[in-house]
Every structure is written in C-alpha cells, then in structure tokens.
C-alpha cells in the first residue's frame, strides 16, 4: 500500500509543475540531410537536466524553467555525440535550427546494456535472434517487434494485448499462451532478454518494464535451445539511458481497475559512465468473469556501468508478485442433438468458489557483460537466476461431464475436482561467446563461438492434495465404471440416479460460486517429486557479407539430461542430444528492399513440451516424459524486408512451411498415459508493416494465412484436419493520428481492429470432442490529449467498441476463453 500512495503522491506533485517558461527547439538531420527520428536530446547544467526525443520529422522541443548556462547534448546509436553550449537569458524561444549529426564507425553494442533510442513503433535491430546486435533487415528470418510506444498508445498492459498486433500470433485463452504460425506453444515459459524462463504462464504480469516484445518466427533452437516450432516470444526489458527521463502514470477504468506505474532513468555521475533505471508498478483489477481478479506488484531496478568504450556491464533485478484466481474458462453444456451451443452459459460463468485463490512470486537477477579486447575481438556473457513459487487452491472441472448410474453423460453438469498445490522452481541460464570480426577486401565475417547452459529444478517440498472422481462404498474414490456400479455411493437428482461425486458437480444451468466446504472431501495426498533438467550447447555462427549478398550460418550441438525424482528413491535419468543447423541468405535488391531465404531446425526434449497439456499432468508427476523421442521440427522460409521513407516505415513479407514430429498428447484410450501423435504441418504467408505514413499518422498492421494439417494421429478422423487453435485468416490494425491544426493541436485519435477466422479448440484428442469457435472482428479506439507546453498526457481508451461477444480461444468445451465486453480505461501520464 505504501508504494501505491507514493506513486499517487509523486503523480499529483509533478502535475503542479507541468508548464515551462522557455522553449528550445531544433531539427536533427544526418549528413545526407535526412531527418533523424529517435535522437536523444538533453539540455543540462549543474542543477537540472531536461530532455526530449526527436519526432518523426527529426524535430524536438524542450521546456526550460529558468535562465542559466546549459549544455546541449545529442546522442543517437551509430552517430557521434553532438555537444554545444546554450545560454538562456531573456528570450522566450530559442531555435537551434538544423543540427547535422556525423556517422560514427563504432558498431552497435553487442550485448544490450543501454536503452533503445527510438520512440516510435519500429525497432531497427534485435539482440536475441542471433545473440548479438543485428539489423532486422539483415536477419534471414521473420521477426516482428512491438515497442513500448505501441504498448502505451494501445494501452496494452498485458503480453497478450501487445502481441496481438503481430501477424500469425493468436491467443489460445486467458494465459501467456499463444498459437504462432498455426503451431500451439508447448513451452510454459517465455524468453526474457534472450534467456528462457519457466512458469511465465498463468497470471499475466504488468508490462510497464518492457521496452519491446519480439516475436521471432519459426523454431529458434539454434539460438534459444529448446524452442517452440511456431516461434519464440522474447520480452526485452527497459535499460538505463544516458539522459534523464522520468515518467509516472495512473490508470483507472472498467472492472474496478486501478493501476499505477513509474519509470525513472538517467546518469548517476557527470561522466555518464554509471546509468540507472527503476520501473515499478502495481495493479488491482477484477474482471467481467465471475470471481476473477488479478492484483499484481512489480519492481525492476537496473544499473549499467560503462567505464570506457570497450567495457560495459548491466545488472538487473525483476521482482513480481500476483494474487488472484486462475481463470479456467467458461464451461458450456455438452452436445445437444450433436452440436455444442456456445451461448448455453453466460460468458461470465466460472466454476470456481469464492474461497479459491492463486498466489505466485517471481524473482529474477540478470547480468550482461561485454568486453572488446581489440577492434575485431570481443567477449560477451549473460547470466539469469530465476526463482518462482506458487500457492494454489481451486475448484476446476475434470474436463468431462457428469454421468448417471448407467454411464450416460449429463450435459448440464460438469464433473469437478479440487486442488491444493504448492511448487517451487529454480532456473539458471548462462551464455558466453567470443565474437571475431574479420575483413578482407569486400568480404566481411562476423564469427561467434560460444556456450549456452541452462538448469531448472523443481525443488523438494512441492506437493499437491487433490479431491476428484466418485465415492465408493468402502470409503475410497475411483473412476466410475457402470459395470461396477454397485461399488459406488449414489444420489438422486430430479429423478436421475447417479454416482456420488467426491467434489459436488457444478450445475451449468444454475451456477453458484459461494464458499465451498472442502473438509469433507476425500483427498489424495502426494509429494511432487523433485526434477532436475540441464541443457548444454556449444555453437558456432558466421555472418558473412560481400556486396549486396550476406549469409547467416549456424551449427549447434546440444545435450540434454532430465533426472526424475532427483536425489529421491526412484531417480531416473534420460538423455538426448542433437546437432541443430541454420542456413540463411539475404540479398539486397535495392537500398531499401532485401530478399531472404532460410532453413532452420528445432529440437525440444519432451520434458519441455508437456507441462501445459491437461492430459500430461499425471504422467508429468509420475514419470519423466524424457523417455519419449524429442519433438523435432524444421522451417523453410522465403521473404522480403523493406525500409521506406528514410526508415520511418518498415515492412516484412514471408512465405513459410513448418513441420513438427513426435507431438506428445494424452492417449485417447488411456487417460493416465501419453502417446506421440506423429506429425503436424503448417504452411502459410504473412505480412507486417509499421511506422509513419504521414508525419502525424503512425500505423501498425498485419495479415496472416495459415494452412495447417494433422498429418499423423492416433484418431484417424483427425488426420487431414486443421490443427487446433489456429485460424486460417487473421489480421490486425492500429493507427494513431495527431491533429496539426491550431484548433485541435494536442489532440490525437487512435483506432484499431482485430480479426480472427474460425478455429478449433486447441486441445482435443478425438475429432468428436473438438469445438469450433466462430470468426470475430473487434474494434478499439482511443483519444489522446496533451495540453500545449505541458508534459501531461491523457488517454481515454475504449476496447470492444461494438460490444462484440467472441471467444479468443478454447481448450475444450469446459474451458472457453471469452473476450471482454466493452470496457473503458482512462490513463494520465506525466513526463519530466
């Protein structure tokens, strides 16, 4: 609570000083006289510092509150720093005119320790796709980036809201879980700063510390070790800046939402060799879904140390906690006359009880170090330590209907279970590599030789109590079998005799969410066995370039060990190993347009693919999925990348084919075991564009087509059918327009649309159980207002303007993910 009051006090205090007396303006160009957006401009003296970022036309304007002697400093990646003195005296406006920045031969930082300079919807480079900084146009692979500016404009406070702007990415439900290029994610963690996490899945944390979100399409095991075939979501956190910049914001709106955030950054010494950044945020929010809430707290301090031009070090801590409920989705009636009715229950229906809860806590410590020994040889290293724990108590469905004494399903009753669970996880990630730059005439080579290692452990002390199934006359519980119906207790409801459940059924026709007494349940208690998984990989990479032609070649050798019941009485060890290649070529058709082709392979030990599967739960805790063959995948891709209007507008077009084999799911004929279904394939094309169409109009748009197919499966009726969770067609648009006329100056409007074609529920072992969700189009809008000569901005955001009823995804008929109805958010942001 103290943090909340501190943020409120800061915000109210800073609002009182949002008007300035003196204005300094100018325009920044490169040596060819092209405008430079995203340049960091600071004006400072010994007592204060003010800053700004150049806009799409290279212009800037800074308010100075008092007279004095100042130093003007301009910084931009790839250009030499510009410094000049400025004396503020009696004049009100100081026009510095056109400022030309000179290009610098110094390369981009190899490991990201300083924040991104640009402040628009585009990002020029990625540090994660190839381990070191590489311009997106030179990467022979599709990568889509969502920047913090888009996140702010669209008020995308959760990861799912941010990535929906990316082509071929659709949400499967209510968690951090996505279908990318027709392939549903199997890993339960996302990547942060290029390093894999575990359990970044259930309660969605706040995104206020995120600089940008990268979606790297296709299997990226050569870079990220075990990685999903469809693509990898990589979140890049905000890094310290060399210029002082501070921001506080408050949001309120529908569903009792209250959210606050603060972002402070700048130098800690005059030499600007020690930089800091501090992000913190809190949220209290409910939902249109019954009982659901998501209360969260986040704090992320970060420090970068740059003692000289050849050495850089960054250290960062992320602490987040969440308290709420696991939203297991909307259950609906079973089939009536062979059809499901999505409207048979309200979209707000939740099977939980008011005394259910979910608590999670996460702590991450990350360090990044880079050292240049010569102009051509450098060393880079990164390390991440993550601890995560959960405390859960919930009522949830058994993903099946209740039955009568003859075994016939009762479509209006959902069979239930009750779970109490605690888990504790430790994750360590480390990578280190040498980079060697070689040049001979027109030929350049950028060689990397390195090692990756990861270790994640489910520690001792984890455990689960579960109440489920049906009560037997001998006091035990079991799965009901009508052939042995005389062994079970019975009850009669509305004249229907049925076996007595251990946990009362949930009545879909008359839902109730009160406090449920759990002391009379018959529990199965067990300790969740400890598990240790280690992955080691060595790799070599070369990006060579001659003229307009460049290639990116990788080879990785990886070995994987999974130890089930680690240091226990029934310890079992499983090993896998693989060589993983990448071959990619790029050719510059013009100065603004390049073509590329790539071939990638993916490798995932099954221990990393089953934690999100409902059918795998019992097996995952009873034995190691590592005894199955690993999931293998490959990608073939052709594409075009373009940068237009002096880099203000960017686009990407890709055609791809992905195949994955050894997909592990629950056995349809033995619910307690797993089976490998064989092969799935996805072919399609996609395009993404983003940037300034006009100086005052910025857009981001995408379209994707995915032709997916189940090639091999245990249920022959599924062969040839579409993969669950994947729409054939999807499209997204967002645009912000700022009025330039004197009458409406300071006012902007935003408009967005999201379209998804129909798609099947993503988890179904049998064709007869699949649920088809209808297509939908959702419209959003926003109004922006920034008073003249003020650092305050107000945003009014309206989501789902037409109040469309839709479902973004579903696991099965008992776990649908309905979209939110019309809702409103009001955000006030002050920058200083």
């Amino acid at each position: 609570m103290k943090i909340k009051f501190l943020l409120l006090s800061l915000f109210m205090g800073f609002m009182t000083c949002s008007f300035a007396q003196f204005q300094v303006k100018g325009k920044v160009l490169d040596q060819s006289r092209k405008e430079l957006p995203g340049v960091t401009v600071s004006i400072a003296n010994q007592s204060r510092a003010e800053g700004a970022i150049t806009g799409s036309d290279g212009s800037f304007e800074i308010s100075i509150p008092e007279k004095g002697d100042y130093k003007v400093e301009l910084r931009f990646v790839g250009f030499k720093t510009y410094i000049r003195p400025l004396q503020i005296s009696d004049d009100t406006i100081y026009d510095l005119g056109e400022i030309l920045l000179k290009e610098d031969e110094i390369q981009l930082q190899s490991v990201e320790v300083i924040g991104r300079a640009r402040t628009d919807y585009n990002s020029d480079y990625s540090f994660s796709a190839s381990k070191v900084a590489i311009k997106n146009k030179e990467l022979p692979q599709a990568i889509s980036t969502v920047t913090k500016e888009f996140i702010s404009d669209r008020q995308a406070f959760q990861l799912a809201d941010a990535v929906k702007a990316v082509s071929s990415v659709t949400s499967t439900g209510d968690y951090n879980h996505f279908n990318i290029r027709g392939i549903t994610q199997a890993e339960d963690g996302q990547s942060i700063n290029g390093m894999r996490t575990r359990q970044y899945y259930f309660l969605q944390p706040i995104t206020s510390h995120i600089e940008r979100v990268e979606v790297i399409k296709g299997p990226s095991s050569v870079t990220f070790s075990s990685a999903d075939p469809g693509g990898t979501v990589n979140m890049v956190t905000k890094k310290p800046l060399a210029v002082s910049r501070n921001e506080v914001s408050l949001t309120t709106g529908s569903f009792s939402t209250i959210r606050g955030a603060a972002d402070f950054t700048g130098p800690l010494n005059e030499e600007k060799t020690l930089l800091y950044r501090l992000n913190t945020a809190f949220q209290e929010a409910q939902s249109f879904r019954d009982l659901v809430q998501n209360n969260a707290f986040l704090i992320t301090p970060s420090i970068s140390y740059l003692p000289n031009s050849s050495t850089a070090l960054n250290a960062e801590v992320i602490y987040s906690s969440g308290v709420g409920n696991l939203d297991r989705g909307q259950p609906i009636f079973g089939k009536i006359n062979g059809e499901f009715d999505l409207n048979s229950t309200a979209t707000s229906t939740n099977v939980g009880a008011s005394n259910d809860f979910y608590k999670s806590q996460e702590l991450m410590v990350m360090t990044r170090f880079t050292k240049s020994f010569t102009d051509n040889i450098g060393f880079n290293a990164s390390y991440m330590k993550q601890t995560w724990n959960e405390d859960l108590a919930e009522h949830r469905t058994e993903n099946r209907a209740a039955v009568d004494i003859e075994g016939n399903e009762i479509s209006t009753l959902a069979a239930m279970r009750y779970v109490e669970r605690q888990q504790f996880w430790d994750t360590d990630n480390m990578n280190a590599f040498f980079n060697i730059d070689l040049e001979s005439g027109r030929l350049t080579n950028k060689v990397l030789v390195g090692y990756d290692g990861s270790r994640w452990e489910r520690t001792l002390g984890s455990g689960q109590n579960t109440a489920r199934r049906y009560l037997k006359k001998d006091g035990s519980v079991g799965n009901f079998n009508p052939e042995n119906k005389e062994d079970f207790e019975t009850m009669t409801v509305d004249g229907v005799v049925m076996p007595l459940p251990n946990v009362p059924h949930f009545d879909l026709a008359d839902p109730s969410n009160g406090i449920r007494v759990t002391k009379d349940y018959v529990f199965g208690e067990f300790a969740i066995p400890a598990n240790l998984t280690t992955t080691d990989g060595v790799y070599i990479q070369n990006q060579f370039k001659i003229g307009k032609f460049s290639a990116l070649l990788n080879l990785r050798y990886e070995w994987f060990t999974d130890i089930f019941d680690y240091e226990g009485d029934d310890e079992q060890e499983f090993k896998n190993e693989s060589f993983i290649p990448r071959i990619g070529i790029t050719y510059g058709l013009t100065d603004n347009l390049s073509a590329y082709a790539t071939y990638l392979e993916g490798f995932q030990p099954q221990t990393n693919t089953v934690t999100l599967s409902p059918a795998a739960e019992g097996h995952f805790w009873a034995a190691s999925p590592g005894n199955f063959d690993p999931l293998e995948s490959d990608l073939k891709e052709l594409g075009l990348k373009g940068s237009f209007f002096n880099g203000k507008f960017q686009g990407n077009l890709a055609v791809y084919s992905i195949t994955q084999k050894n997909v592990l799911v629950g056995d349809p004929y033995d619910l307690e075991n797993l089976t490998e279904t064989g092969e799935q394939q996805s072919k399609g094309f996609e395009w993404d564009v983003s940037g300034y169409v006009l100086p005052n109009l910025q857009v981001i748009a995408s379209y994707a087509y995915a032709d997916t197919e189940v090639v091999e499966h245990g249920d022959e009726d599924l062969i040839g059918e579409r993969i669950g969770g994947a729409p054939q067609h999807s499209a997204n648009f967002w645009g912000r327009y700022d009025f330039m006329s004197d009458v409406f100056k300071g006012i902007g409007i935003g408009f967005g649309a999201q379209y998804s074609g129909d798609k099947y529920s993503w988890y179904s072992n049998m064709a007869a159980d699949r649920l088809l969700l209808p297509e939908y189009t959702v419209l959003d809008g926003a109004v922006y207002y920034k008073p003249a000569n003020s650092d305050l901005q107000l945003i009014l955001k309206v989501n789902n303007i037409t109040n469309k009823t839709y479902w973004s995804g579903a696991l099965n008929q008992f776990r649908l993910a309905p979209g939110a109805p019309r809702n409103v958010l009001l955000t006030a942001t002050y920058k200083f």
Side-chain angles (χ1 to χ4, degrees), residues 70-84:
Y70 292 84
K71 180 176 70 174
V72 179
E73 185 171 316
L74 281 71
R75 291 176 176 264
F76 192 54
V77 174
F79 290 82
K80 293 182 178 180
T81 301
Y82 172 92
I83 299 175
R84 60 156 287 181

PDB file of all heavy atoms in Angstrom, residues 70-84:
ATOM      1  N   TYR A  70      23.691  26.415 -20.075  1.00  0.00           N
ATOM      2  CA  TYR A  70      23.356  24.999 -20.248  1.00  0.00           C
ATOM      3  C   TYR A  70      24.269  24.357 -21.285  1.00  0.00           C
ATOM      4  O   TYR A  70      24.931  25.050 -22.075  1.00  0.00           O
ATOM      5  CB  TYR A  70      21.899  24.827 -20.687  1.00  0.00           C
ATOM      6  CG  TYR A  70      20.880  25.203 -19.639  1.00  0.00           C
ATOM      7  CD1 TYR A  70      20.479  26.525 -19.484  1.00  0.00           C
ATOM      8  CD2 TYR A  70      20.317  24.234 -18.812  1.00  0.00           C
ATOM      9  CE1 TYR A  70      19.542  26.883 -18.523  1.00  0.00           C
ATOM     10  CE2 TYR A  70      19.375  24.570 -17.850  1.00  0.00           C
ATOM     11  CZ  TYR A  70      18.999  25.887 -17.713  1.00  0.00           C
ATOM     12  OH  TYR A  70      18.067  26.219 -16.763  1.00  0.00           O
ATOM     13  N   LYS A  71      24.288  23.040 -21.273  1.00  0.00           N
ATOM     14  CA  LYS A  71      24.985  22.256 -22.292  1.00  0.00           C
ATOM     15  C   LYS A  71      23.956  21.436 -23.055  1.00  0.00           C
ATOM     16  O   LYS A  71      23.174  20.696 -22.451  1.00  0.00           O
ATOM     17  CB  LYS A  71      26.018  21.333 -21.644  1.00  0.00           C
ATOM     18  CG  LYS A  71      26.787  20.485 -22.665  1.00  0.00           C
ATOM     19  CD  LYS A  71      27.861  19.651 -21.993  1.00  0.00           C
ATOM     20  CE  LYS A  71      27.274  18.546 -21.153  1.00  0.00           C
ATOM     21  NZ  LYS A  71      28.319  17.630 -20.613  1.00  0.00           N
ATOM     22  N   VAL A  72      23.949  21.587 -24.378  1.00  0.00           N
ATOM     23  CA  VAL A  72      23.054  20.812 -25.248  1.00  0.00           C
ATOM     24  C   VAL A  72      23.821  19.588 -25.738  1.00  0.00           C
ATOM     25  O   VAL A  72      24.937  19.712 -26.251  1.00  0.00           O
ATOM     26  CB  VAL A  72      22.564  21.649 -26.445  1.00  0.00           C
ATOM     27  CG1 VAL A  72      21.651  20.809 -27.336  1.00  0.00           C
ATOM     28  CG2 VAL A  72      21.846  22.889 -25.963  1.00  0.00           C
ATOM     29  N   GLU A  73      23.227  18.408 -25.576  1.00  0.00           N
ATOM     30  CA  GLU A  73      23.893  17.170 -25.978  1.00  0.00           C
ATOM     31  C   GLU A  73      22.916  16.296 -26.749  1.00  0.00           C
ATOM     32  O   GLU A  73      21.776  16.076 -26.311  1.00  0.00           O
ATOM     33  CB  GLU A  73      24.403  16.421 -24.751  1.00  0.00           C
ATOM     34  CG  GLU A  73      25.218  15.185 -25.077  1.00  0.00           C
ATOM     35  CD  GLU A  73      25.877  14.593 -23.835  1.00  0.00           C
ATOM     36  OE1 GLU A  73      26.431  15.372 -23.026  1.00  0.00           O
ATOM     37  OE2 GLU A  73      25.838  13.360 -23.691  1.00  0.00           O
ATOM     38  N   LEU A  74      23.344  15.797 -27.924  1.00  0.00           N
ATOM     39  CA  LEU A  74      22.531  14.931 -28.763  1.00  0.00           C
ATOM     40  C   LEU A  74      23.243  13.599 -28.922  1.00  0.00           C
ATOM     41  O   LEU A  74      24.430  13.562 -29.260  1.00  0.00           O
ATOM     42  CB  LEU A  74      22.289  15.548 -30.145  1.00  0.00           C
ATOM     43  CG  LEU A  74      21.204  16.642 -30.248  1.00  0.00           C
ATOM     44  CD1 LEU A  74      21.649  17.930 -29.567  1.00  0.00           C
ATOM     45  CD2 LEU A  74      20.859  16.910 -31.710  1.00  0.00           C
ATOM     46  N   ARG A  75      22.497  12.490 -28.694  1.00  0.00           N
ATOM     47  CA  ARG A  75      23.066  11.153 -28.812  1.00  0.00           C
ATOM     48  C   ARG A  75      22.146  10.275 -29.659  1.00  0.00           C
ATOM     49  O   ARG A  75      20.918  10.333 -29.496  1.00  0.00           O
ATOM     50  CB  ARG A  75      23.243  10.504 -27.422  1.00  0.00           C
ATOM     51  CG  ARG A  75      24.311  11.139 -26.563  1.00  0.00           C
ATOM     52  CD  ARG A  75      24.339  10.503 -25.171  1.00  0.00           C
ATOM     53  NE  ARG A  75      25.406  11.036 -24.354  1.00  0.00           N
ATOM     54  CZ  ARG A  75      26.603  10.468 -24.218  1.00  0.00           C
ATOM     55  NH1 ARG A  75      26.876   9.343 -24.877  1.00  0.00           N
ATOM     56  NH2 ARG A  75      27.526  11.012 -23.446  1.00  0.00           N
ATOM     57  N   PHE A  76      22.771   9.469 -30.531  1.00  0.00           N
ATOM     58  CA  PHE A  76      21.999   8.536 -31.332  1.00  0.00           C
ATOM     59  C   PHE A  76      22.919   7.393 -31.745  1.00  0.00           C
ATOM     60  O   PHE A  76      24.078   7.632 -32.130  1.00  0.00           O
ATOM     61  CB  PHE A  76      21.419   9.227 -32.577  1.00  0.00           C
ATOM     62  CG  PHE A  76      20.373   8.419 -33.300  1.00  0.00           C
ATOM     63  CD1 PHE A  76      19.259   7.923 -32.626  1.00  0.00           C
ATOM     64  CD2 PHE A  76      20.493   8.144 -34.653  1.00  0.00           C
ATOM     65  CE1 PHE A  76      18.296   7.190 -33.287  1.00  0.00           C
ATOM     66  CE2 PHE A  76      19.528   7.405 -35.322  1.00  0.00           C
ATOM     67  CZ  PHE A  76      18.419   6.926 -34.627  1.00  0.00           C
ATOM     68  N   VAL A  77      22.410   6.163 -31.645  1.00  0.00           N
ATOM     69  CA  VAL A  77      23.214   4.997 -31.973  1.00  0.00           C
ATOM     70  C   VAL A  77      23.700   5.080 -33.417  1.00  0.00           C
ATOM     71  O   VAL A  77      22.920   5.323 -34.336  1.00  0.00           O
ATOM     72  CB  VAL A  77      22.404   3.700 -31.756  1.00  0.00           C
ATOM     73  CG1 VAL A  77      23.197   2.493 -32.238  1.00  0.00           C
ATOM     74  CG2 VAL A  77      22.041   3.536 -30.293  1.00  0.00           C
ATOM     75  N   GLY A  78      25.017   4.894 -33.614  1.00  0.00           N
ATOM     76  CA  GLY A  78      25.603   4.932 -34.954  1.00  0.00           C
ATOM     77  C   GLY A  78      26.089   6.302 -35.366  1.00  0.00           C
ATOM     78  O   GLY A  78      26.631   6.457 -36.467  1.00  0.00           O
ATOM     79  N   PHE A  79      25.906   7.327 -34.483  1.00  0.00           N
ATOM     80  CA  PHE A  79      26.333   8.685 -34.797  1.00  0.00           C
ATOM     81  C   PHE A  79      27.172   9.236 -33.653  1.00  0.00           C
ATOM     82  O   PHE A  79      27.026   8.832 -32.499  1.00  0.00           O
ATOM     83  CB  PHE A  79      25.124   9.600 -35.040  1.00  0.00           C
ATOM     84  CG  PHE A  79      24.378   9.314 -36.311  1.00  0.00           C
ATOM     85  CD1 PHE A  79      23.446   8.288 -36.353  1.00  0.00           C
ATOM     86  CD2 PHE A  79      24.609  10.046 -37.459  1.00  0.00           C
ATOM     87  CE1 PHE A  79      22.747   8.000 -37.517  1.00  0.00           C
ATOM     88  CE2 PHE A  79      23.921   9.768 -38.631  1.00  0.00           C
ATOM     89  CZ  PHE A  79      22.987   8.742 -38.661  1.00  0.00           C
ATOM     90  N   LYS A  80      28.065  10.179 -33.998  1.00  0.00           N
ATOM     91  CA  LYS A  80      28.892  10.801 -32.980  1.00  0.00           C
ATOM     92  C   LYS A  80      28.050  11.744 -32.114  1.00  0.00           C
ATOM     93  O   LYS A  80      27.124  12.395 -32.606  1.00  0.00           O
ATOM     94  CB  LYS A  80      30.042  11.571 -33.642  1.00  0.00           C
ATOM     95  CG  LYS A  80      31.057  10.665 -34.349  1.00  0.00           C
ATOM     96  CD  LYS A  80      32.191  11.478 -34.942  1.00  0.00           C
ATOM     97  CE  LYS A  80      33.217  10.557 -35.611  1.00  0.00           C
ATOM     98  NZ  LYS A  80      34.353  11.313 -36.198  1.00  0.00           N
ATOM     99  N   THR A  81      28.402  11.806 -30.830  1.00  0.00           N
ATOM    100  CA  THR A  81      27.700  12.689 -29.910  1.00  0.00           C
ATOM    101  C   THR A  81      27.938  14.152 -30.282  1.00  0.00           C
ATOM    102  O   THR A  81      29.072  14.557 -30.586  1.00  0.00           O
ATOM    103  CB  THR A  81      28.162  12.438 -28.469  1.00  0.00           C
ATOM    104  OG1 THR A  81      27.901  11.076 -28.132  1.00  0.00           O
ATOM    105  CG2 THR A  81      27.440  13.348 -27.499  1.00  0.00           C
ATOM    106  N   TYR A  82      26.871  14.952 -30.263  1.00  0.00           N
ATOM    107  CA  TYR A  82      26.934  16.380 -30.588  1.00  0.00           C
ATOM    108  C   TYR A  82      26.765  17.177 -29.289  1.00  0.00           C
ATOM    109  O   TYR A  82      25.824  16.943 -28.522  1.00  0.00           O
ATOM    110  CB  TYR A  82      25.828  16.733 -31.583  1.00  0.00           C
ATOM    111  CG  TYR A  82      25.654  18.217 -31.856  1.00  0.00           C
ATOM    112  CD1 TYR A  82      26.331  18.825 -32.916  1.00  0.00           C
ATOM    113  CD2 TYR A  82      24.815  18.990 -31.059  1.00  0.00           C
ATOM    114  CE1 TYR A  82      26.169  20.183 -33.178  1.00  0.00           C
ATOM    115  CE2 TYR A  82      24.647  20.355 -31.317  1.00  0.00           C
ATOM    116  CZ  TYR A  82      25.329  20.940 -32.370  1.00  0.00           C
ATOM    117  OH  TYR A  82      25.173  22.283 -32.624  1.00  0.00           O
ATOM    118  N   ILE A  83      27.684  18.139 -29.032  1.00  0.00           N
ATOM    119  CA  ILE A  83      27.622  18.956 -27.820  1.00  0.00           C
ATOM    120  C   ILE A  83      27.841  20.414 -28.192  1.00  0.00           C
ATOM    121  O   ILE A  83      28.729  20.738 -28.992  1.00  0.00           O
ATOM    122  CB  ILE A  83      28.686  18.510 -26.788  1.00  0.00           C
ATOM    123  CG1 ILE A  83      28.458  17.056 -26.360  1.00  0.00           C
ATOM    124  CG2 ILE A  83      28.671  19.423 -25.564  1.00  0.00           C
ATOM    125  CD1 ILE A  83      29.530  16.523 -25.439  1.00  0.00           C
ATOM    126  N   ARG A  84      27.042  21.299 -27.580  1.00  0.00           N
ATOM    127  CA  ARG A  84      27.221  22.736 -27.772  1.00  0.00           C
ATOM    128  C   ARG A  84      26.688  23.460 -26.545  1.00  0.00           C
ATOM    129  O   ARG A  84      25.798  22.967 -25.838  1.00  0.00           O
ATOM    130  CB  ARG A  84      26.503  23.239 -29.028  1.00  0.00           C
ATOM    131  CG  ARG A  84      25.007  23.034 -29.046  1.00  0.00           C
ATOM    132  CD  ARG A  84      24.299  24.006 -29.971  1.00  0.00           C
ATOM    133  NE  ARG A  84      24.285  25.359 -29.399  1.00  0.00           N
ATOM    134  CZ  ARG A  84      23.696  26.412 -30.006  1.00  0.00           C
ATOM    135  NH1 ARG A  84      23.128  26.252 -31.180  1.00  0.00           N
ATOM    136  NH2 ARG A  84      23.703  27.598 -29.428  1.00  0.00           N
TER     137      ARG A  84
END
